[in-house]
Amino acid sequence: MKLKEKLESDLATAIKARDEVRTRTLRMALTAVRNEEVAGKKARELSDEDVVKVLSREAKKRREAAAAFADAGRAEQAQAERDEGAVLEEYLPAQLTDEELSALVADVIAETGAAGPKAMGQVMKAVNPKVAGRAEGGRVAAEVKRQLAGG
């Protein structure tokens, strides 16, 4: 079963179960997926990999919104965003631990022979396909920067 089909069937189940958070989140996720499908010059069917990218982007929005609400002292809205984020996380690949990310970056640096902060772009270009949605870009960039700086 493709990821989009799983989202659609889980949405139907959530509606029947009257699970408001899950229903709201899956509707939003499917809307984002459909918008992505019709974006650009011609409509296309998204691959599971593309759907994961859309869901990752949506999960990141939820994390950022939760932090903004929490900073503004709006705990109820922050919790609602975190709840939606938790639903989205179920459909994303497991996140890399710090150790796994560190090892992956070290391998790429060794493969490319990169050295010094100027090689950051070269390393990021090689690391990103290997990470593929399993770690946020900021986390990856911070690890690459740390290792290239000799830390």
Side-chain angles (χ1 to χ4, degrees):
M1 178 184 279
K2 293 184 90 176
L3 186 54
K4 182 180 173 190
E5 293 166 3
K6 179 166 176 42
L7 289 168
E8 289 167 343
S9 84
D10 288 358
L11 173 59
T13 304
I15 291 170
K16 288 177 188 159
R18 296 193 183 338
D19 183 340
E20 289 182 27
V21 172
R22 192 170 213 75
T23 299
R24 177 178 70 228
T25 306
L26 293 176
R27 274 189 176 136
M28 171 276 309
L30 283 165
T31 298
V33 168
R34 289 185 190 111
N35 287 343
E36 187 72 20
E37 286 177 337
V38 297
K41 293 194 187 307
K42 62 180 184 163
R44 60 188 166 61
E45 181 83 19
L46 293 184
S47 67
D48 279 357
E49 193 176 291
D50 291 332
V51 173
V52 165
K53 285 179 186 167
V54 171
L55 294 179
S56 295
R57 204 168 45 232
E58 291 300 319
K60 182 179 180 190
K61 287 179 190 174
R62 297 296 160 286
R63 281 192 299 275
E64 290 170 353
F69 280 132
D71 291 345
R74 298 175 68 183
E76 206 170 292
Q77 287 96 334
Q79 188 56 51
E81 295 290 339
R82 280 193 287 273
D83 293 344
E84 289 182 7
V87 171
L88 291 172
E89 294 292 333
E90 295 173 25
Y91 298 94
L92 295 172
Q95 295 292 296
L96 293 170
T97 64
D98 290 341
E99 293 77 30
E100 290 169 329
L101 180 58
S102 181
L104 216 154
V105 170
D107 290 348
V108 170
I109 289 173
E111 282 171 24
T112 59
K118 288 187 176 153
M120 179 136 181
Q122 172 191 2
V123 175
M124 287 297 289
K125 197 154 90 181
V127 161
N128 279 332
K130 295 181 181 195
V131 170
R134 296 181 298 152
E136 212 171 90
R139 238 181 100 204
V140 176
E143 182 60 29
V144 169
K145 189 180 284 185
R146 186 186 70 77
Q147 289 194 24
L148 285 176

